Amino acid sequence: MTISIKSLIAHCVNQVIRQHYPVQYCSLCHVYAIVGANLISIVLDRVYRPVAGLAAVDCGGGQLMRMADNAAFANPTGGAYHCWIESADRHGGDDVDVVDLTFRHNHTYAVKNDFTWQRELPPDYLWGLRSQIVLQADIDALPESFPDGTVWLQETDEGWGWMMDQLAAHQNAFVALTAEALKLLQASLPPDSALLPAAPAARPGALRTGSAPASAPVPIC
């Protein structure tokens, strides 16, 4: 896999989600995680899964945006949590790929939640080995600033159960979104590319634009 394929996957997922959710896209981390995991699995012929839990992002200037309200998964109004993608076909902490396709929206999300973004604009996505991009620390012992290209993430049992509920409740919508992203990716490849088979057609009427409550971070300075 080349960097260009990673970028193409991230671009296609972002384009499709922003088309259907032009206002709340930067709060729909679970949609990015589910559609992204589906598309990556198809393109790479591997197994990737959506993950839900807690996160912390460095906004610069000593500001850590913590999305760490584990009780939010049981709260109908939502709360501060985060979703991302991990590979599920390899064993061992350092072998696990971690992908965050919403990283490009961190500065927008921060400003909407009363943070002042004081770093350079984030890259379009994070994608690498867990040991390289995920900080290993307890949430109460995080450093005041993170190295570039890193984030703090922690899956929880409550997050896993919530993610399974989302997959079951909105299966048709996620299938339709994945089919659109796959079709867009296929159309972006050279005509003679054999990377992917023909994209499946989305089911008519399958897409629903409703979504789970958006997560909201807790300001920590």
Side-chain angles (χ1 to χ4, degrees), residues 35-91:
V35 177
N38 290 344
L39 188 61
I40 295 170
S41 298
I42 293 169
V43 173
L44 302 189
D45 193 23
R46 289 182 55 189
V47 180
Y48 283 74
R49 68 186 182 97
V51 182
L54 316 179
V57 173
D58 180 10
C59 299
Q63 303 172 97
L64 294 186
M65 181 169 60
R66 302 193 188 199
M67 294 161 278
D69 180 8
N70 201 37
F73 294 114
N75 187 343
T77 63
Y81 55 81
H82 189 50
C83 304
W84 62 96
I85 301 165
E86 293 185 4
S87 60
D89 55 354
R90 297 180 181 177
H91 301 286

Side-chain angles (χ1 to χ4, degrees), residues 124-139:
D124 288 346
Y125 56 87
L126 281 188
W127 191 329
L129 296 178
R130 177 184 292 164
S131 60
Q132 296 175 351
I133 66 174
V134 178
L135 293 179
Q136 301 301 310
D138 186 83
I139 190 170

Side-chain angles (χ1 to χ4, degrees), residues 58-199:
D58 180 10
C59 299
Q63 303 172 97
L64 294 186
M65 181 169 60
R66 302 193 188 199
M67 294 161 278
D69 180 8
N70 201 37
F73 294 114
N75 187 343
T77 63
Y81 55 81
H82 189 50
C83 304
W84 62 96
I85 301 165
E86 293 185 4
S87 60
D89 55 354
R90 297 180 181 177
H91 301 286
D94 289 348
D95 290 331
V96 174
D97 282 344
V98 173
V99 185
D100 189 341
L101 298 181
T102 63
F103 212 71
R104 69 175 74 218
H105 302 312
N106 279 349
H107 64 298
T108 302
Y109 190 57
V111 171
K112 285 186 175 182
N113 288 279
D114 300 323
F115 287 86
T116 302
W117 188 264
Q118 298 184 35
R119 299 177 64 105
E120 293 184 3
L121 292 181
D124 288 346
Y125 56 87
L126 281 188
W127 191 329
L129 296 178
R130 177 184 292 164
S131 60
Q132 296 175 351
I133 66 174
V134 178
L135 293 179
Q136 301 301 310
D138 186 83
I139 190 170
D140 295 322
L142 293 174
E144 291 185 359
S145 62
F146 297 176
D148 289 340
T150 62
V151 67
W152 181 85
L153 301 169
Q154 179 180 301
E155 184 177 13
T156 66
D157 290 340
E158 291 80 3
W160 181 86
W162 180 86
M163 182 64 78
M164 295 304 101
D165 289 343
Q166 290 295 307
L167 287 165
H170 306 291
Q171 181 180 11
N172 287 345
F174 293 130
V175 168
L177 288 167
T178 300
E180 287 191 33
L182 179 58
K183 184 177 180 180
L184 179 60
L185 190 148
Q186 184 72 68
S188 303
L189 295 172
D192 58 347
S193 174
L195 178 64
L196 293 172

